[in-house]
Amino acid sequence: MPGRGPEFAARATAELKLPYMEFAGTLEQSAGDMREHRVIKLPNNLVVLCTRDPDATQAAATLHVDVGSLADPPELNGLAHFLEHMLFMGTEKYPDEGEYIAFIKKNGGQYNAFTSLDTTGYYFGVANSALEQTLD
């Protein structure tokens, strides 16, 4: 039916049973690209491209949000950069300051983030076995 958009099927992650929707269509891929690609939609409607490389020794994730320092209110200059740092200061699952960073490092990983004029980006890489827990 025209205008309905792509079809997604309900799924859950293997270890933590986290819900998501997976694109049920066919993705076009270069003949020389031997990696596996999937498109998923999270419960908050964020659409994610997942790429699996069977030869990789680490897993990584990056997220770019189309908001940067130009969105700072005049009375709160630096807010976007401050909020960038808050991600690594604690979360619901890792409430203590530095706990999330310690988990990443314990799993052979590294992390970084940046704020530009119109984008905020986050990155981490970890051992393949720790990817799902790091994303939670």
Side-chain angles (χ1 to χ4, degrees):
M1 225 182 217
R4 281 188 56 206
E7 294 293 324
F8 285 84
R11 303 275 189 266
T13 60
E15 186 177 329
L16 299 175
K17 306 298 183 212
L18 301 172
Y20 68 94
M21 303 292 285
E22 185 169 359
F23 177 62
T26 302
L27 296 176
E28 290 187 34
Q29 185 169 329
S30 167
D33 186 357
M34 305 319 286
R35 298 170 297 177
E36 298 171 24
H37 303 281
R38 298 183 315 155
V39 175
I40 65 171
K41 186 188 299 186
L42 302 178
N44 64 0
N45 287 323
L46 182 68
V47 177
V48 180
L49 171 65
C50 302
T51 300
R52 180 180 176 276
D53 184 341
D55 296 326
T57 59
Q58 273 206 326
T62 184
L63 170 70
H64 289 236
V65 182
D66 288 336
V67 175
S69 60
L70 287 177
D72 289 350
E75 67 277 10
L76 294 172
N77 191 28
L79 180 63
H81 189 219
F82 173 75
L83 293 174
E84 167 209 316
H85 284 268
M86 293 302 294
L87 174 75
F88 298 112
M89 297 300 289
T91 66
E92 187 174 322
K93 184 175 178 181
Y94 303 97
D96 295 334
E97 183 178 342
E99 189 176 1
Y100 184 60
I101 293 169
F103 178 82
I104 290 172
K105 288 181 177 181
K106 181 179 102 180
N107 287 283
Q110 65 283 339
Y111 66 96
N112 208 343
F114 71 89
T115 300
S116 69
L117 294 176
D118 59 358
T119 304
T120 303
Y122 303 92
Y123 163 85
F124 72 81
V126 292
N128 288 335
S129 60
L131 176 63
E132 188 172 332
Q133 289 180 320
T134 310
L135 287 171
D136 179 32

